[in-house]
Amino acid sequence: WERWSTGQGELPPLQVGSRVTPSSLLMKQGTTSPPQLISEVELITLMDRNGIGTDATIAQHISTIQDRAYATKDAQQKFLPTKLGIALVEGY
């Protein structure tokens, strides 16, 4: 993968089908955490930054996300993905 590194520089170039024998293996324990929930304003900013929708259609996209039960808003008005929304993302 492009971003893999040995910590001492980039990995050497390899040919497809070549065999690699590792000289050592280091297992590190770690955890991940889900991303923070975002507000409607933050979602609009992300949509604009990624070229999703136009000023005229962004409100409709956000309405569709909620109408189709992909996400709901919590008490702090942050979008909370539903099981359906998570399944669609993971399935994609």
Side-chain angles (χ1 to χ4, degrees):
W1 186 11
E2 303 101 34
R3 292 184 280 173
W4 284 2
S5 173
T6 61
Q8 301 169 343
E10 296 300 312
L11 292 172
L14 300 171
Q15 298 297 322
V16 174
S18 63
R19 291 180 180 252
V20 176
T21 305
S23 58
S24 66
L25 175 66
L26 175 63
M27 296 289 289
K28 292 183 179 181
Q29 183 172 343
T31 59
T32 61
S33 58
Q36 299 258 342
L37 300 179
I38 61 173
S39 68
E40 188 166 330
V41 172
E42 293 166 318
L43 178 58
I44 290 170
T45 301
L46 287 170
M47 290 173 72
D48 186 49
R49 188 179 307 148
N50 289 287
I52 300 170
T54 64
D55 290 344
T57 62
I58 285 179
Q60 182 61 41
H61 289 304
I62 292 172
S63 177
T64 300
I65 289 168
Q66 295 175 85
D67 292 345
R68 294 184 181 173
Y70 300 151
T72 59
K73 285 187 182 176
D74 66 10
Q76 291 81 34
Q77 295 299 301
K78 302 274 186 167
F79 282 101
L80 183 67
T82 63
K83 288 182 180 182
L84 174 60
I86 293 170
L88 288 171
V89 169
E90 290 179 353
Y92 181 71

